[in-house]
Amino acid sequence: MQEAVDVVVIGSGMGGLAAARTIAQFGGKRVLVLEQHYTVGGMTHEFAREGKYQFGTGLHYISANAGPFLEYLTDGRVQLSPLPDDYDVLHFPGFDFAVPATKERFRARLVEAFPGEAGAIDRFFTETRRAMAGLAARNVCSSLPAALRTLGFPLVERLFPVAYRSLSDQVSRSFRDPRLRAVMAARWGLYGTPPGSSAFGYHAAVPLTFFMDGTAHPVGGPREISQIVVEILGRYGVEVRARQRVDRIVVERGRVTGVDVEDGATGRRYRVRAPAVVSAAGVRNAYTLLGPEAKPGWRRELASLPAEPSAVMLFLGLDRSPAVFGARGENHWFMPDLDDHGGSGRPPGEGTLYVSFASLNNPAARFHTVEVLELVDPKLVDRWRGTSIEDRPEEYRRLKDELAGRLIDRLDKQWPGFRETIAFAELATPLSFETYQHSVRGSFYGLSATPGRMRSALAGARTSVKGLVIAGQDAWGSGVVGALAGGLMAANAVLRPRQMSAMWRTVRAGGPARDESTPWRGYLRVAGIETLSPTVRRFRLEPLGGGALPFSFTAGQYLKVDLPVAVEPIERSYSICSGPGAGDFVEIAVKREPRGLGSAFLHDELVAGQALRVTGPLGEFTWDPVRDHGSGSLLLIAGGVGITPLMGVLAAADGAGHRGRIVLLAGFRSEDEVLFRPDIAALRTRLPGLEVRILAGRRIDAEALRPYAGAAGRVHLCGPAAMMQDVIGLLTALGVPREVVHTEAFVSERSRQTRRERAHAIAVAAAAAGTTQFTIGTRDGQAFACRPGQTVLDAGNAAGVSLPQSCGEGACGTCRIQVVSGTYETDPRGMFSAEELDAGWRLACQTLPREDLMIAR
């Protein structure tokens, strides 16, 4: 079986995703991304343990000013939580040094600690800038055609020799004090090659340039980055497939023609033909996939490059916040000696150690975690290489336990009592990274960051095989943003000059301005929780860093909120009860539902300070004081917590200085359940036309409605389904035109479950009958397919048929359709009167066909 695309990308790390987007966006190419793992995202991947501890695998912190590359790739949507100003604390034998944000503060602290070397410190930073420029020039050169690379590589080294010196050589040339040398050479673990072997250009680029403005952690965790990017790729037609292992890069007559693939889920083997292949799986993997097409000279050159280090990584879940030990979210580096060579000659577990308190830097984290990393020689686990996870012997497990014990001992020595807080521990070895990352021998950072790498023609975006391009860390440098830059270098090698120019103009501009017509999606901080009744609480949400909300809304709209009740969040919709004039916060009110998973979390587990991901604003159940000014008397009718969006309407009227007549008619089961009493009392003093009638312990009947129905020019009705259906019928009987009645229902978790159960039953029955699809026809002559178990709305959206819609779950009542013929399952949500139901009016998002249907829109 064969498929055909324009470009295949191997690997879905940041390099692969960046290459895929830019090639599709600026080259107009059909791009297919193949990922061998079951989760896309490369080293932004996360995993969970015990249903609560969430761990990152590769991204622990990035620059607080991540620059235009990340802004572009994510459309500016990634939110970053800053680490403390002293973001890296270095522990040496006999002294500590805290690295502060900004070059100016870093220099001042160095001069304060080493006043006799002030001039040397300034000269060192000058050399750092030259080394950084040299590395950038070399990497850009690597993406150019062969003739330019041949000329450019020697020229770059002559112009920027400092970039090619070893880190040890550079600090020895620069400083006399061994402690200052140790401070400036520390943090080589950010790119993985010890000071005696690493090229100074890499050190200049990562700890001494990229992180100089301070550091940050993605809110929601590293996977937020890849999730956003994959979503954006869909706009450009890029297909991303997980669990697809590329077995071979096919070359015919010296040119790439495609890849051979095995589907990890089904075992199916297939070929994808493509004139260009971008490998974001590392240089060594790329040349291995070439098989016999890889020339002996290339193999010899790769073999001459130093082997890459791997890592052991300890993932810890704690039963309390590490803040009890004084941690504030800063990283800690433990160096065993001043002349740090990664613990060379020391047993594993006793070398240079990096400790990250990720949960302290992620306001969305519910449970506290610590991640501990030590770079090691992959030979550590050679004797078990080639074995499966299940078949590894007890000896391997003992090694893991011993390593975990040594690492925990070091943590407990630094923070006495730390051991007692550990509720979960798991150690990853080089075999873990080899299995899940598919890197050669568990390589953590790609090719070693040595002078030899900088001189090698194989370490870069271009290859000697026509159509084969390298992306990722091996095309630029270490880390997530380094891999991203490598993806842009790969695009450099694929795109035509005019397309490449357009790409760089767009990338330098960063993320685009947000389209205000689309819902905002991101994290807000829980700023306050207030009890309104025994069953209802109000939650105030604010921007993470304060200031204005990142979106504006109209009174009556709602937010979708992702609730982290388990590893994967559940989504719920809640009406906004605050007014749009507040500007710097938004409020929702939530009733605790019996057996309600989402509402139980909000009432029992959510605490102030936690971040929640929201989408919005959404909904058409709106009132605007300008737009609706001439609609006459406004009648607001609420049942129970259905008063929530109506409070937003009243707040909007107050903010606009509305002086017209407004009637609030609200029913509650008891006096204890009456909501917003103080708010309503305050509004009555500011809204001269407001009349309020609260019915506690009695239903809203015709007698209650009659005094207000005749004068109502616009009605907003929200409450339980049965109450709404009754009130719609009563209003009709009292002569209120149906078109002035606007409805919104609140949707319980049980009703959602009921729909899923009905959908499953319909799908099972259809499969037993051999039915694979139903046909839905419309009065205006259209027809579209509907899979059994699919709602009319979902089927229409899949077929590109336009149906009115907003929330998709029966809360807003926007997706009204009239079913003319056919049988189905549905839930009217109280959006229609009995007469309307008899006439066939239903909600498309709740209607599940049992056979072919005819509908009117």
Side-chain angles (χ1 to χ4, degrees), residues 304-323:
S304 71
L305 295 175
E308 297 81 47
S310 186
V312 292
M313 197 164 175
L314 180 62
F315 302 97
L316 299 174
L318 307 186
D319 63 8
R320 71 202 74 169
S321 170

Side-chain angles (χ1 to χ4, degrees), residues 62-93:
I62 60 176
S63 172
N65 178 18
F69 288 5
L70 189 63
E71 282 285 303
Y72 158 73
L73 192 62
T74 64
D75 282 356
R77 289 169 49 191
V78 168
Q79 295 169 273
L80 300 177
S81 176
L83 270 67
D85 281 344
D86 288 351
Y87 61 88
D88 275 334
V89 178
L90 314 179
H91 302 279
F92 300 96

Side-chain angles (χ1 to χ4, degrees), residues 720-731:
M723 168 262 184
M724 289 177 57
Q725 181 177 328
D726 288 346
V727 170
I728 290 172
L730 292 172
L731 289 171

Side-chain angles (χ1 to χ4, degrees), residues 33-49:
V33 179
L34 300 172
E35 168 57 51
Q36 59 88 29
H37 195 17
Y38 55 78
T39 301
V40 302
M43 296 304 277
T44 64
H45 168 63
E46 296 180 43
F47 69 94
R49 290 293 184 265

Side-chain angles (χ1 to χ4, degrees), residues 3 28 119 205:
E3 303 177 35

Side-chain angles (χ1 to χ4, degrees), residues 765-813:
T771 302
T772 58
Q773 71 175 41
F774 304 125
T775 299
I776 300 175
T778 67
R779 278 275 182 85
D780 55 5
Q782 287 187 288
F784 55 94
C786 180
R787 176 174 38 82
Q790 196 173 27
T791 67
V792 172
L793 181 63
D794 287 343
N797 287 339
V801 175
S802 176
L803 294 172
Q805 58 191 283
S806 179
C807 73
E809 57 182 32
C812 67

Side-chain angles (χ1 to χ4, degrees), residues 312-573:
V312 292
M313 197 164 175
L314 180 62
F315 302 97
L316 299 174
L318 307 186
D319 63 8
R320 71 202 74 169
S321 170
V324 299
F325 300 106
R328 298 178 299 120
E330 70 282 356
N331 304 299
H332 289 260
W333 296 83
F334 295 89
M335 275 62 67
D337 47 50
L338 293 183
D339 189 13
D340 180 19
H341 293 284
S344 178
R346 294 174 180 269
E350 297 182 13
T352 297
L353 201 63
Y354 166 77
V355 182
S356 166
F357 297 99
S359 60
L360 291 179
N361 298 314
N362 179 11
R366 291 184 58 206
F367 301 97
H368 285 288
T369 57
V370 179
E371 293 153 11
V372 183
L373 182 143
E374 180 183 348
L375 295 168
V376 298
D377 190 325
K379 292 178 182 177
L380 174 69
V381 292
D382 269 357
R383 75 192 89 166
W384 302 293
R385 187 161 273 110
T387 62
S388 66
I389 296 174
E390 298 79 13
D391 294 335
R392 286 170 192 153
E394 185 61 32
E395 186 182 9
Y396 175 73
R397 304 185 194 285
R398 281 201 302 272
L399 172 69
K400 291 181 65 173
D401 290 343
E402 290 170 7
L403 283 174
R406 289 178 201 162
L407 296 176
I408 291 171
D409 286 345
R410 293 177 71 180
L411 299 179
D412 200 61
K413 181 179 179 181
Q414 177 68 26
W415 299 291
F418 187 91
R419 186 191 311 275
E420 282 67 42
T421 71
I422 299 173
F424 169 83
E426 180 175 323
L427 186 86
T429 73
L431 295 181
S432 310
F433 295 107
E434 188 173 329
T435 299
Y436 294 108
Q437 188 182 333
H438 201 57
S439 57
V440 176
R441 294 171 59 80
S443 166
F444 200 72
Y445 284 123
L447 293 174
S448 290
T450 62
R453 169 181 171 171
M454 293 185 68
R455 297 184 181 105
S456 173
L458 298 184
R462 293 268 185 178
T463 73
S464 298
V465 180
K466 292 181 180 179
L468 176 61
V469 177
I470 303 298
Q473 295 185 110
D474 287 350
W476 186 274
S478 64
V480 167
V481 176
L484 194 167
L488 298 180
M489 291 299 102
N492 248 17
V494 173
L495 297 174
R496 295 173 180 169
R498 185 172 296 178
Q499 296 167 340
M500 185 173 66
S501 177
M503 178 190 81
W504 284 111
R505 285 197 304 272
T506 304
V507 169
R508 282 194 295 268
R514 191 177 81 83
D515 182 355
E516 295 293 335
S517 66
T518 62
W520 179 82
R521 183 172 175 82
Y523 285 88
L524 297 176
R525 182 177 63 88
V526 179
I529 302 173
E530 177 187 0
T531 298
L532 299 180
S533 78
T535 59
V536 178
R537 288 186 177 179
R538 171 162 52 185
F539 302 87
R540 174 170 289 195
L541 306 175
E542 295 179 349
L544 297 177
L549 285 171
F551 57 85
S552 58
F553 62 92
T554 304
Q557 289 191 296
Y558 65 92
L559 299 174
K560 287 186 177 181
V561 184
D562 287 353
L563 303 175
V565 299
V567 174
E568 292 299 325
I570 59 173
E571 186 181 78
R572 295 291 184 260
S573 297

